[in-house]
Amino acid sequence: MKRHNVILSVAAAACVAPLTAVVGQETPDSVPTQTNGTLTVFLDCHTRGCDFDHFRREITFVSWVRDRQDADVHILVTAQRTGAGGTELTINLMGLRDFEGQESTLQYISSPDDTRDEFRDGFTRMLQLGLASYAANTPAGGQLSVVYAPLDDMDLPSSGPSDDPWNFWVFRVGLRGSVEGESQERFLSGNASFSASRVTESLKLIFSARANGDRSEFDVVDTVEGLDTTFVSTRTSYNFDAESIWSLGPNWSAGVMAEVDRISTLNWDLAVRGGPALEYNIFPYAESTRRSLTFTYTLGVAFFDYEEETIFDQLSELRPAHNFEIDVGVQQPWGSVHGSVEAFQYLHDLGRHSLTLDGGINVRVFRGLEFNTGGEIARIKDQLYLSKAGLTPEEILLRQRSRGTDFRFHLSVGFSYRFGSKFNNVVNPRM
């Protein structure tokens, strides 16, 4: 990778003790933790670039297992986007059993221009480096070597921001369209997007614009009346967002938000919303990939210009509003939790409000058993935009306009149980 001026790779010689004698059988918990002198590893990775087949092919000096109870090392990988559009991976290696208490953390930062293969290779190299320090204390350590491959001067990374002609600004442009159909149905959709961002430790600036549109046509034949009718549904939306966020220390942030929308399904010919916001994180932002608990308060105004007169006899209105949100995110060896509580209220009429709770949890209950649940429930009393003219059956069925409602909900519950061989080293991609 051209970002690094030093490339280290760890290679295992072919004479490492074979694993075929143990792959097909369970080993009691009382036996030694190493298998034929090989480090056992459990990978806990659900981010971009987690190509487990590739890791098993390239990192052969360890034995991969399916459950953390069978592992000498638990690898927990978390990720977040960088300001330039790349990915920052945090690789936490936690020693278990004979390696209890031995922990280390590595970081890998990809370039936004990296191909999938370049990203995967760099990720694999960091895993090799991290595992080598543990494997060095096993009988397989004698078969490991470190190789140094210096880069040419022209491949060296830039020395810092002074070499950046864009001054941290990153721009993205996107355009996409699709068409689908059959003899009596046709669907067309398209969207365009643009964004500009500048992210530093002290200030984050983000500007984005999006346009979406779709058209659906349905041919309906009434054989009794002999009528052939085509129903047409069109939906459009336009959006512009602007955010300016300042860092106020390891736990505090302040910002100003603005949003401009035109959304036909919400009866908005024009909607302008914005205001200042303040956020506090119980944990330092530096730990955000593993745990966070934030409290965010926003105070602002909202202006609406409607396509049709609303049920409150308004064609346009300006309303003050505020919003309070609590977000929690935890990713640990035992599983993960995410959730939020958001309360929104118009200040001209306190009865016009909404309350939304959503979240999910994934827990490793015991060996092989994982439980997961997630969902959302919302109380909705803030639909100022509902059309006074009401909706036709066609508009309801084709979802051209939003309907009035007092609540919405979604819930999912599931579990998985894995049993059998604890080893996970063989890669077989056939068929």
Side-chain angles (χ1 to χ4, degrees), residues 300 320-324 343-354 382:
H322 64 168
N323 188 85
F324 181 67
F344 174 85
Q345 186 178 52
Y346 287 108
L347 296 178
H348 76 286
D349 182 352
L350 301 185
R352 301 300 164 193
H353 65 274
S354 64
D382 61 348

Side-chain angles (χ1 to χ4, degrees), residues 77 81 87 115 137 153 211 218 251 276 339 420:
V77 182
R81 299 288 288 180
T87 302
T115 65
N137 296 315
D153 290 342
F218 304 89
N251 301 84

Side-chain angles (χ1 to χ4, degrees), residues 189-233:
S189 66
N191 62 71
S193 63
F194 170 81
S195 67
S197 63
R198 185 179 188 272
V199 179
T200 66
E201 288 291 337
S202 59
L203 175 64
K204 180 164 69 173
L205 300 173
I206 300 177
F207 304 94
S208 64
R210 294 178 296 275
N212 299 278
D214 61 67
R215 177 185 174 91
S216 304
E217 297 181 2
F218 304 89
D219 297 333
V220 179
V221 179
D222 188 334
T223 56
V224 177
E225 299 292 336
L227 299 177
D228 187 349
T229 305
T230 299
F231 293 96
V232 179
S233 170

Side-chain angles (χ1 to χ4, degrees), residues 56 66 117 127 196 324 340 367:
R56 286 184 291 176
R66 299 181 183 274
D117 187 61
L127 286 177
F324 181 67
S340 69
R367 179 189 294 271

Side-chain angles (χ1 to χ4, degrees), residues 313-331:
D313 303 316
Q314 300 291 326
L315 282 173
S316 65
E317 56 186 326
L318 178 67
R319 304 301 185 190
H322 64 168
N323 188 85
F324 181 67
E325 186 171 357
I326 303 174
D327 285 280
V328 61
V330 177
Q331 187 161 335

Side-chain angles (χ1 to χ4, degrees), residues 336-373:
S336 61
V337 175
H338 70 276
S340 69
V341 179
E342 182 177 5
F344 174 85
Q345 186 178 52
Y346 287 108
L347 296 178
H348 76 286
D349 182 352
L350 301 185
R352 301 300 164 193
H353 65 274
S354 64
L355 180 65
T356 305
L357 294 84
D358 73 82
I361 182 171
N362 188 304
V363 179
R364 297 186 178 95
V365 182
F366 54 80
R367 179 189 294 271
L369 179 63
E370 293 188 3
F371 172 80
N372 61 80
T373 182

Side-chain angles (χ1 to χ4, degrees), residues 98-377:
D98 286 354
F99 296 92
E100 187 72 35
Q102 298 183 31
E103 298 189 8
S104 61
T105 301
L106 299 174
Q107 282 191 329
Y108 173 70
I109 301 177
S110 71
S111 166
D113 299 323
D114 281 351
T115 65
R116 184 171 182 267
D117 187 61
E118 289 174 329
F119 180 93
R120 185 179 62 178
D121 286 346
F123 188 1
T124 303
R125 185 163 51 250
M126 295 305 292
L127 286 177
Q128 289 174 326
L129 292 174
L131 290 170
S133 62
Y134 294 90
N137 296 315
T138 70
Q143 307 300 328
L144 298 176
S145 62
V146 177
V147 179
Y148 169 67
L151 297 175
D152 297 333
D153 290 342
M154 62 180 300
D155 292 332
L156 293 177
S158 61
S159 59
S162 60
D163 297 314
D164 181 9
W166 294 97
N167 193 25
F168 291 106
W169 281 100
V170 177
F171 302 89
R172 297 183 184 88
V173 178
L175 184 65
R176 184 177 63 181
S178 66
V179 60
E180 179 183 352
E182 54 179 78
S183 60
Q184 299 186 77
E185 298 178 6
R186 294 162 296 282
F187 308 92
L188 295 92
S189 66
N191 62 71
S193 63
F194 170 81
S195 67
S197 63
R198 185 179 188 272
V199 179
T200 66
E201 288 291 337
S202 59
L203 175 64
K204 180 164 69 173
L205 300 173
I206 300 177
F207 304 94
S208 64
R210 294 178 296 275
N212 299 278
D214 61 67
R215 177 185 174 91
S216 304
E217 297 181 2
F218 304 89
D219 297 333
V220 179
V221 179
D222 188 334
T223 56
V224 177
E225 299 292 336
L227 299 177
D228 187 349
T229 305
T230 299
F231 293 96
V232 179
S233 170
T234 58
R235 292 182 293 183
T236 58
S237 65
Y238 304 91
N239 168 267
F240 173 77
D241 284 320
E243 300 179 13
S244 179
I245 303 168
W246 291 269
S247 300
L248 305 179
N251 301 84
W252 286 92
S253 297
V256 177
M257 319 292 182
E259 184 174 2
V260 181
D261 296 281
R262 186 183 188 278
I263 304 177
S264 58
T265 55
L266 297 182
N267 195 24
W268 289 349
D269 193 44
L270 178 66
V272 182
R273 295 164 292 166
L278 186 67
E279 180 178 270
Y280 176 72
N281 193 345
I282 293 292
F283 306 104
Y285 285 104
E287 302 176 13
S288 60
T289 60
R290 292 289 299 272
R291 58 179 184 171
S292 67
L293 177 58
T294 60
F295 301 84
T296 308
Y297 179 75
T298 305
L299 177 65
V301 295
F303 170 77
F304 301 105
D305 184 41
Y306 300 109
E307 295 179 353
E308 298 178 359
E309 187 176 10
T310 70
I311 57 176
F312 302 103
D313 303 316
Q314 300 291 326
L315 282 173
S316 65
E317 56 186 326
L318 178 67
R319 304 301 185 190
H322 64 168
N323 188 85
F324 181 67
E325 186 171 357
I326 303 174
D327 285 280
V328 61
V330 177
Q331 187 161 335
Q332 297 294 328
W334 49 261
S336 61
V337 175
H338 70 276
S340 69
V341 179
E342 182 177 5
F344 174 85
Q345 186 178 52
Y346 287 108
L347 296 178
H348 76 286
D349 182 352
L350 301 185
R352 301 300 164 193
H353 65 274
S354 64
L355 180 65
T356 305
L357 294 84
D358 73 82
I361 182 171
N362 188 304
V363 179
R364 297 186 178 95
V365 182
F366 54 80
R367 179 189 294 271
L369 179 63
E370 293 188 3
F371 172 80
N372 61 80
T373 182
E376 176 185 281
I377 184 169

